[in-house]
């Protein structure tokens, strides 16, 4: 499933303003390889954590949202 690669690509690290135009981390611990990207995505936005429109779009599509919920559990 292509979804796996897309989500796991986003879960580690951070955005760098000079490379992407965005700055910040997706999770509180950007170097951990876990499902916190998905759990953070399902929770309300938190100060200091990055959620791009493309990340939020995963929740607005019923098919993708079901996978986000499944892998966040």
């Amino acid at each position: 499933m292509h979804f796996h690669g897309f989500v796991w690509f986003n879960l580690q690290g951070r955005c760098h303003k000079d490379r992407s135009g965005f700055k910040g981390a997706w999770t509180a611990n950007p170097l951990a390889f876990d499902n916190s990207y998905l759990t953070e995505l399902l929770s309300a936005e938190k100060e200091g954590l990055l959620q791009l429109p493309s990340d939020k779009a995963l929740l607005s599509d019923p098919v993708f949202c079901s996978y986000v919920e499944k892998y966040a559990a």
Side-chain angles (χ1 to χ4, degrees), residues 27-54:
T27 64
N29 186 357
L31 299 179
F33 189 77
D34 58 17
N35 70 341
S36 59
Y37 164 73
L38 298 169
T39 57
E40 294 290 352
L41 190 59
L42 286 172
S43 68
E45 287 188 46
K46 294 183 180 167
E47 186 71 31
L49 295 182
L50 183 65
Q51 286 189 359
L52 299 175
S54 56

Side-chain angles (χ1 to χ4, degrees), residues 10-29:
N10 276 339
L11 75 88
Q12 282 193 301
R14 59 182 49 250
C15 281
H16 301 274
K17 185 109 174 131
D18 61 323
R19 297 180 199 148
S20 67
F22 298 100
K23 182 179 179 182
W26 283 277
T27 64
N29 186 357

Side-chain angles (χ1 to χ4, degrees), residues 1-3 5 9 13-14 30 37 43 46 55 61 63 69 72:
M1 170 184 283
H2 298 290
F3 178 70
F9 170 78
R14 59 182 49 250
Y37 164 73
S43 68
K46 294 183 180 167
D55 298 318
D61 182 282
V63 174
E69 291 169 343

